[in-house]
Amino acid sequence: MEAFNSIANPLSSFFFMCILLLLANAASAKTHHHDFVIQATPVKRLCMTHNTITVNGQFPGPTLEVNNGDTLVVKVVNKAQYNVTIHWHGVRQIRTGWADGPEFITQCPIRPGKSYTYRFTIQGQEGTLWWHAHSSWLRATVYGALIIHPKEGDSYPFPKPKRETPILLGEWWDANPIDVIRRATRTGAPPNVSDAYTINGQPGDLYKCSSQDTTIVPVDSGETNLLRVINAALNQQLFFSVANHKLTVVGADASYVKPFTTSVLMLGPGQTTDVLITTDQPRAKYYMAARAYASAQGAPFDNTTTTAILEYKTASCSSNCVKTNPVFPSLPAYNDTATATAFTTKFRSPRKVEVPTEIDENLFFTVGLGLNNCPRGASSSNCQGPNGTRFAASMNNVSFVLPSNFSLLQAHHQGIPGVFSTDFPANPPVKFDYTGNVSRSLWQPVPGTKLYKLKYGARVQVVLQGTSIFTAENHPIHLHGYDFYIIAEGFGNFNPKRDTAKFNLIDPPLRNTASVPVNGWAVIRFVADNPGVWLMHCHLDVHIGWGLGMAFLVENGVSELESLEAPPVDLPVC
């Protein structure tokens, strides 16, 4: 009996300690309540004042800071004239798909005068994410940072920085962005490109009427700071650099990475990159700058450059101080795919990770543009694409059409027929030379609201294959509800015989948005362990509007913890 007690006591002590740890973790987790009022606010940029849609009158919107394990409760009140939703970009939303936010995917929009409260918990994520409108082009101005610190008592896997600064890269139209996209939708032509890029909402010194409001990031000599860089631009991949300073990349998309040092970042819209910067240069002012990585040959783009100033604090300046201009960084050429590729292929997880090796669903998705013939009886003013066509985009030749009477998640949860089908093709309907000269007969995609069904727990591999229909370009592909491992990328047509050897199944990076190389491919893997309807789409907003997206329907598992939660009572109705 004594022998049994000597075994039982340590065991019971161990279980008691485990329970105490769980209770301590639960006690340290907090619930953060926020109110977001969506409203029109006068915002002056580039000499002009526009009635801009903002959150709480701020542009960019409020930065939300939480710890891993915390819960967010955000009441969104729509006082604007447009429908709106808010997407919490990169948040896993385990079982809380109703809070994900994409319009007509997981919810109907919040109508003018109405409200909706988003409730969700951050689980196992640390680093930088962001939130943005997911309705028409409201994302142009409705966005902000979402910073996830480690749990209380935990620390970063790198020396604690002296200070942390969100750097939100944005895109500004000297017009109402909703009018810009509505005109393009009517004409079938590409929308006008932006008039400026911004850093934390300000265009910077190189634009008219802007220098007095340029974003300044103050620093002291000899400190190491963390910059949380977010590409919140609507339609443009961006290069980012800081003059005379090296950047050590330590995180991306709220996952830590094996640190590496670079002089330039490339971020697709939706992507975030955490970098350490050491202030080891002579006391002066140094420009941070961002400009386009424009991979689509011949396509118009905004070729301007936004700046902010990294400013070393100096002794107070007397009247005889000489005003010196900040040092300017060296930025890659707009079409420098070699630099973009060298950057994206450096990412690794900090240690060996559990990549799914046995695959249940082996999918091959082509992504790219297309052109629709002018509909019979349509006016030429509605067909202003090349040679009297209308621009379109697709995955596996299906141009994604949003429903309008129900959200997809609602239709799935309530068993409403006729809203969608589950026959999204696992492979392109026609095999062709994806990155070569594509026959004109393949240029016209088929519209449809098609989902691909996944069993709970399925191990999924998706080959994302870029195409050269009309023009090849780099596509930032974002998957809602999941992080995924990017196990390989390359140029040309994916060849399983040759390219499988390139797969990194040891320490690939965990991301929520993959930059599919221009005229190339990327391979991602994930386990379908989050039930719901999850949009996968190009994060160039012009492309999702043209149909470059699809959605996965992930079925419930066996237990309650493997099943979608019931919809909240205040879920907006269509």
Side-chain angles (χ1 to χ4, degrees), residues 336-573:
D336 190 345
T337 292
T339 294
T341 306
F343 178 72
T344 57
T345 53
K346 274 184 186 158
F347 285 82
R348 297 281 183 277
S349 283
R351 59 193 65 83
K352 190 178 188 310
V353 289
E354 294 286 320
V355 187
T357 48
E358 303 288 318
I359 298 299
D360 303 306
E361 297 277 1
N362 205 340
L363 308 175
F364 188 102
F365 292 174
T366 55
V367 298
L369 301 189
L371 296 173
N372 280 333
N373 295 333
C374 197
R376 188 173 295 159
S379 155
S380 59
S381 65
N382 301 124
C383 300
Q384 293 182 31
N387 303 319
T389 59
R390 291 179 59 83
F391 268 100
S394 66
M395 284 187 169
N396 278 356
N397 209 44
V398 179
S399 193
F400 192 65
V401 178
L402 288 174
S404 54
N405 296 328
F406 301 96
S407 73
L408 295 174
L409 188 59
Q410 201 182 355
H412 160 59
H413 186 72
Q414 296 176 12
I416 300 165
V419 178
F420 64 84
S421 60
T422 54
D423 56 347
F424 186 87
N427 294 282
V430 179
K431 286 190 168 60
F432 57 98
D433 180 4
Y434 308 114
T435 55
N437 280 331
V438 182
S439 160
R440 283 293 176 103
S441 63
L442 296 166
W443 283 37
Q444 187 151 326
V446 179
T449 309
K450 296 173 183 286
L451 278 55
Y452 192 90
K453 194 183 280 191
L454 294 170
K455 283 198 160 32
Y456 184 90
R459 295 158 296 186
V460 184
Q461 173 175 297
V462 187
V463 176
L464 296 163
Q465 173 68 62
T467 64
S468 58
I469 295 176
F470 189 71
T471 185
E473 65 183 294
N474 182 297
H475 294 278
I477 302 296
H478 171 49
L479 175 58
H480 289 231
Y482 287 89
D483 289 324
F484 49 73
Y485 291 110
I486 304 177
I487 60 170
E489 64 173 73
F491 291 99
N493 298 335
F494 177 76
N495 180 334
K497 291 193 178 74
R498 180 189 66 226
D499 293 328
T500 312
K502 300 173 186 168
F503 286 3
N504 175 6
L505 302 178
I506 307 298
D507 59 353
L510 193 62
R511 303 295 300 258
N512 63 51
T513 306
S515 287
V516 178
V518 55
N519 256 332
W521 51 269
V523 183
I524 67 171
R525 286 187 182 180
F526 64 96
V527 177
D529 58 0
N530 192 11
V533 175
W534 304 108
L535 182 63
M536 185 160 82
H537 65 101
C538 182
H539 220 275
L540 305 176
D541 267 30
V542 60
H543 289 181
I544 178 67
W546 287 341
L548 212 172
M550 56 81 64
F552 289 108
L553 193 169
V554 180
E555 297 176 316
N556 284 338
V558 290
S559 70
E560 187 185 352
L561 290 178
E562 295 177 352
S563 302
L564 180 70
E565 289 182 1
V569 291
D570 64 337
L571 188 73
V573 292

Side-chain angles (χ1 to χ4, degrees), residues 97-322:
W98 306 105
D100 189 43
E103 183 179 65
F104 293 116
I105 304 291
T106 59
Q107 67 169 98
C108 295
I110 306 166
R111 305 289 182 189
K114 303 292 186 184
S115 67
Y116 175 48
T117 301
Y118 294 89
R119 298 173 178 85
F120 56 92
T121 300
I122 306 291
Q123 300 183 49
Q125 295 182 281
E126 292 177 17
T128 306
L129 295 175
W130 62 302
W131 56 265
H132 60 80
H134 212 299
S135 184
S136 185
W137 268 24
L138 287 184
R139 177 163 86 75
T141 56
V142 178
Y143 63 84
L146 171 54
I147 294 169
I148 308 167
H149 298 287
K151 289 181 179 175
E152 280 186 26
D154 288 355
S155 57
Y156 297 127
F158 45 83
K160 186 172 169 53
K162 185 76 187 293
R163 60 184 102 198
E164 304 181 9
T165 309
I167 302 290
L168 290 105
L169 310 177
E171 215 170 350
W172 178 263
W173 275 260
D174 204 6
N176 179 347
I178 302 294
D179 291 344
V180 174
I181 187 56
R182 282 180 175 171
R183 182 175 180 277
T185 303
R186 192 173 64 250
T187 63
N192 290 345
V193 299
S194 55
D195 296 288
Y197 299 112
T198 56
I199 296 178
N200 293 355
Q202 295 294 342
D205 287 358
L206 306 185
Y207 298 90
K208 60 185 180 181
C209 307
S210 300
S211 57
Q212 70 278 11
D213 296 312
T214 297
T215 296
I216 293 175
V217 178
V219 294
D220 280 321
S221 285
E223 61 186 24
T224 297
N225 295 331
L226 181 67
L227 302 181
R228 299 177 177 275
V229 188
I230 299 165
N231 185 352
L234 223 68
N235 291 318
Q236 192 61 62
Q237 290 88 347
L238 294 168
F239 287 122
F240 173 84
S241 191
V242 183
N244 294 12
H245 289 73
K246 291 286 190 199
L247 304 170
T248 300
V249 178
V250 292
D253 293 359
S255 291
Y256 295 118
V257 302
K258 197 170 284 177
F260 66 91
T261 301
T262 179
S263 59
V264 65
L265 312 180
M266 194 288 285
L267 297 91
Q271 293 183 322
T272 72
T273 307
D274 290 347
V275 296
L276 295 174
I277 181 169
T278 301
T279 49
D280 54 5
Q281 295 300 302
R283 288 173 183 264
K285 296 177 181 179
Y286 299 89
Y287 274 128
M288 301 174 166
R291 75 175 185 196
Y293 164 48
S295 59
Q297 207 171 353
F301 66 96
D302 178 351
N303 64 0
T304 61
T305 302
T306 180
T307 57
I309 297 172
L310 186 79
E311 184 173 278
Y312 283 65
K313 291 179 187 169
T314 52
S316 59
C317 198
S318 62
S319 58
N320 61 354
C321 277
V322 180

